[in-house]
């Protein structure tokens, strides 16, 4: 594993004007970051991300390049505009917009075929954690997306997993370090055992903030962070980036 990856997920926040101001401030810090920083921005801010030459990606794309898909975002256009990353299977897409396993799988392969590097999000609900089922849930989510991987493996680009417990997203609740470590090793073990890939980075996401970032980053098995709410103010996000 090389340097840590710290990704910002703005969700449906910041306008193009605000994005411009954000990146104007960000570039004054960026020269001193030692980690790989990625911004997942709304579609109407792709242009601003591209203009400031930060590493960026869409939060949501469809599994086709063009066509009669009203309201969808083309992964090909994102690539052509300079995106190199993409979020796939974020829990808000799964739970609020009903994205199912088949669509997530199609998007995973399509975006990689185009050249984008997917950050595949997995995570259990509170109920699944309480019932002791969390490890089977993570395994099933990986299995469902990665079935078919062997047929295409030679042609694919890099990818990353983000462990985001659904109950920790936007709630201020964070799993214990031990629980994060167990989940990350579970994900790494499944990917290594089933698909022979020992080096897929696993990021942690869910209520990361300036106060807990450094501890989470030091936890065994954590290769980086996916930060939602705490990424919206550049100086605050920069403090998180600096804690690595
Ligand atoms: P949060 O979101 O940091 O606001 O909890 C994380 C995410 O959804 O990626």
């Amino acid at each position: 594993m090389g340097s840590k990856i710290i990704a910002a997920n703005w969700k449906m926040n910041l306008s193009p004007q605000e994005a411009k101001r954000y990146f104007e401030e960000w570039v004054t810090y960026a020269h001193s970051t030692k980690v790989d920083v990625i911004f997942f921005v709304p579609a109407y801010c792709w242009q601003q991300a591209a203009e400031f030459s930060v590493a960026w990606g869409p939060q949501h794309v469809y599994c086709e390049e063009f066509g009669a898909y009203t309201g969808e975002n083309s992964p090909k256009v994102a690539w052509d505009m300079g995106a190199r990353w993409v979020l796939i299977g974020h829990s808000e897409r799964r739970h609020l917009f009903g994205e199912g396993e088949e669509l997530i799988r199609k998007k995973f392969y399509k975006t990689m075929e185009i050249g984008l590097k997917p950050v595949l999000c997995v995570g259990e609900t509170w109920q699944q954690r309480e019932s002791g089922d969390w490890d089977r849930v993570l395994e099933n989510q990986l299995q469902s997306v990665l079935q078919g991987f062997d047929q295409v493996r030679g042609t694919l680009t890099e990818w990353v997993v983000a462990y985001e417990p659904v109950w920790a997203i936007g709630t201020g609740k964070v799993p214990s370090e031990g629980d994060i470590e167990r989940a990350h090793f579970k994900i790494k073990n499944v990917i290594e055992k089933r698909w022979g890939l020992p080096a897929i980075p696993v990021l942690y996401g869910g209520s990361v903030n300036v106060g807990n970032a450094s501890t989470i980053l030091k936890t065994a098995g954590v290769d980086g962070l996916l930060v939602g709410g705490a990424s919206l103010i550049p100086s605050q996000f920069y403090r998180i980036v600096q804690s690595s």
Side-chain angles (χ1 to χ4, degrees), residues 21 94 97 121 139 208:
R21 280 199 293 276
R94 292 179 194 254
F97 302 104
C121 304
E139 188 161 353
V208 173

Side-chain angles (χ1 to χ4, degrees), residues 9 11 87 90-92 164 168-172 205-208 226-230:
N9 176 12
K11 311 195 180 190
L87 276 185
H90 188 278
S91 102
E92 283 152 17
E164 296 210 301
I169 296 177
T171 58
S207 295
V208 173
L226 180 53
V227 187

Side-chain angles (χ1 to χ4, degrees), residues 98-113:
E99 281 192 14
E101 300 291 356
E102 193 188 339
L103 178 59
I104 292 170
R105 181 166 61 247
K106 283 188 182 158
K107 297 207 288 187
F108 182 77
Y109 293 114
K110 183 67 189 177
T111 51
M112 270 210 256
E113 185 192 306

Side-chain angles (χ1 to χ4, degrees), residues 95-198:
H95 295 104
L96 297 176
F97 302 104
E99 281 192 14
E101 300 291 356
E102 193 188 339
L103 178 59
I104 292 170
R105 181 166 61 247
K106 283 188 182 158
K107 297 207 288 187
F108 182 77
Y109 293 114
K110 183 67 189 177
T111 51
M112 270 210 256
E113 185 192 306
I114 288 170
L116 294 165
K117 298 178 208 174
V119 176
L120 174 63
C121 304
V122 296
E124 81 286 355
T125 62
W126 180 249
Q127 205 188 7
Q128 289 162 336
R129 172 149 290 270
E130 285 284 89
S131 65
D133 247 7
W134 63 272
D135 55 344
R136 206 172 44 83
V137 170
L138 297 181
E139 188 161 353
N140 288 347
Q141 287 175 348
L142 292 168
Q143 167 70 35
S144 129
V145 173
L146 295 175
Q147 52 174 285
F149 188 80
D150 287 330
Q151 285 94 303
V152 287
R153 67 162 64 223
T155 57
L156 298 179
T157 53
E158 295 163 60
W159 52 286
V160 170
V161 173
Y163 170 57
E164 296 210 301
V166 177
W167 52 274
I169 296 177
T171 58
K173 292 187 198 136
V174 178
S176 68
E177 287 153 59
D179 283 346
I180 294 178
E181 184 175 331
R182 274 186 286 281
H184 281 230
F185 281 110
K186 173 73 191 178
I187 291 166
K188 286 170 188 270
N189 286 341
V190 169
I191 295 174
E192 176 162 13
K193 257 206 217 125
R194 295 266 182 87
W195 294 282
L197 300 167

Side-chain angles (χ1 to χ4, degrees), residues 1-8 26 29-39 54-55 85 203 213 217 222-225 227 237-244:
M1 169 71 208
S3 57
K4 302 261 187 198
I5 297 171
I6 313 243
W26 182 259
Y29 310 136
H31 56 90
S32 53
T33 59
K34 298 188 297 290
V35 298
D36 291 326
V37 181
I38 307 160
F39 293 92
V54 294
W85 295 85
L203 318 183
L217 276 169
V222 174
D223 302 309
L225 302 171
V227 187
F237 183 53
Y238 182 59
R239 283 178 63 199
I240 292 176
V241 167
Q242 274 185 309
S243 47
S244 58

